[in-house]
Amino acid sequence: MLPVVLSIAGSDSGGGAGIQADLKTFHAFHTFGTTAVTAVTVQNTLGVTGVHPVPVETVRDQIAAVASDLRPAAFKTGMLATAELVETVAGSIRELGLRNYVLDPVMVATSGDRLLAADAERTIVQALVPQSTLVTPNLDEAAILVGFPVRGPDEMRRAAETLVSLGAGAALLKGGHLDAAEVVDILFDGTDWHEWRRPKLGTTSTHGTGCTLSAGIAAGLAHGRPLVEAVADALGFVNRALVAAPGLGGGHGPLNHLVPARAPSTVGARSADV
């Protein structure tokens, strides 16, 4: 049976991030994508010029409609825009008993434009982090969530431990913003550590990387893959999509979601414990 995955996130009119990137990724990973749109954004590769939150009742009803008929085997959240929407989504997750939750704490777009109200930041920590199977912050998002600067691998590990102590099932700290020639991604599940390293790519086609990564992980979980395997597959997919980026737009361009979801040479591979 084709696994169903749900994305609860905002719509990107430029097609590179948000719901649009999630659906492309779900398709690449051979899953059936469903959505609950939380906000409509006005954006392209140059930036965000408008954010229009969807009424909370409509968001709640979208989630319930999907869950009642197309029960997701896994789901993710992305842009939630306001504290009220965060609380609504958190309540829906609890009430509907949704499982295999990948929390992408979207706060700022690649262009630097804010996508989450400041008063919603603590609500994410209190209402969503404790329900998550995995939380996937970049360095800036991690610093906001844990309350201290996150600039290198040591601080990434401390942040991962803090997020797990706050109730997350696991934390994946994304190192794409590291000021180094190498990207380091660190996963902690409360017991074991896993680390992935790769050279940093010299590209501006980075719009939607976080959305694509979290969607790929959710798709892997929907297929029943272990968390470490789902993370490794999604990281590999994002890297291949960056390398093959089509170079569209005049700003931070989109990835190429047409690359293979799982590279044959890495299927079944595991990261080294650290």
Side-chain angles (χ1 to χ4, degrees):
M1 181 179 293
L2 189 66
V4 175
V5 191
L6 167 64
S7 172
I8 305 170
S11 169
D12 172 10
S13 55
I19 289 287
Q20 286 80 355
D22 292 344
L23 287 174
K24 293 171 187 176
T25 304
F26 293 157
H27 184 79
F29 276 81
H30 301 283
T31 57
F32 183 81
T34 60
T35 63
V37 180
T38 59
V40 176
T41 69
V42 181
Q43 66 175 298
N44 53 28
T45 68
L46 299 173
V48 181
T49 57
V51 174
H52 305 279
V54 172
V56 292
E57 297 83 2
T58 303
V59 174
R60 183 179 61 243
D61 291 348
Q62 288 178 88
I63 298 170
V66 172
S68 67
D69 182 48
L70 297 161
R71 185 76 180 178
F75 73 104
K76 61 155 287 187
T77 58
M79 176 188 177
L80 298 178
T82 68
E84 189 177 17
L85 278 170
V86 172
E87 291 169 350
T88 296
V89 170
S92 293
I93 294 169
R94 284 193 303 271
E95 292 164 13
L96 297 170
L98 301 180
R99 296 289 180 265
N100 289 325
Y101 172 26
V102 180
L103 165 56
D104 180 11
V106 174
M107 297 176 179
V108 180
T110 302
S111 60
D113 297 293
R114 191 166 189 90
L115 297 175
L116 180 73
D119 64 351
E121 294 167 358
R122 300 321 300 169
T123 310
I124 285 179
V125 173
Q126 296 163 359
L128 292 181
V129 168
Q131 299 195 73
S132 67
T133 303
L134 175 71
V135 57
T136 64
N138 61 32
L139 303 191
D140 297 331
E141 293 162 347
I144 292 171
L145 293 174
V146 301
F148 56 80
V150 183
R151 302 190 185 97
D154 290 342
E155 292 165 333
M156 291 169 71
R157 292 186 181 89
R158 180 184 169 204
E161 290 177 324
T162 301
L163 288 166
V164 170
S165 74
L166 289 169
L172 174 66
L173 273 291
K174 302 179 296 191
H177 292 175
L178 287 172
D179 185 16
E182 188 176 50
V183 174
V184 181
D185 299 300
I186 297 173
L187 173 67
F188 179 56
D189 66 4
T191 303
D192 297 321
W193 293 91
H194 304 270
E195 186 175 295
W196 293 264
R197 293 176 178 265
R198 63 188 183 281
K200 180 175 284 189
L201 298 171
T203 179
T204 58
S205 295
T206 55
H207 185 54
T209 50
C211 304
T212 300
L213 177 64
S214 55
I217 296 170
L221 294 177
H223 278 292
R225 294 170 191 148
L227 178 62
V228 177
E229 184 175 336
V231 170
D233 285 344
L235 286 170
F237 177 70
V238 170
N239 190 63
R240 290 188 295 279
L242 282 166
V243 171
L248 301 176
H252 293 283
L255 313 182
N256 183 352
H257 293 88
L258 298 176
V259 298
R262 307 184 81 196
S265 61
T266 59
V267 172
R270 295 290 192 276
S271 65
D273 291 356
V274 293

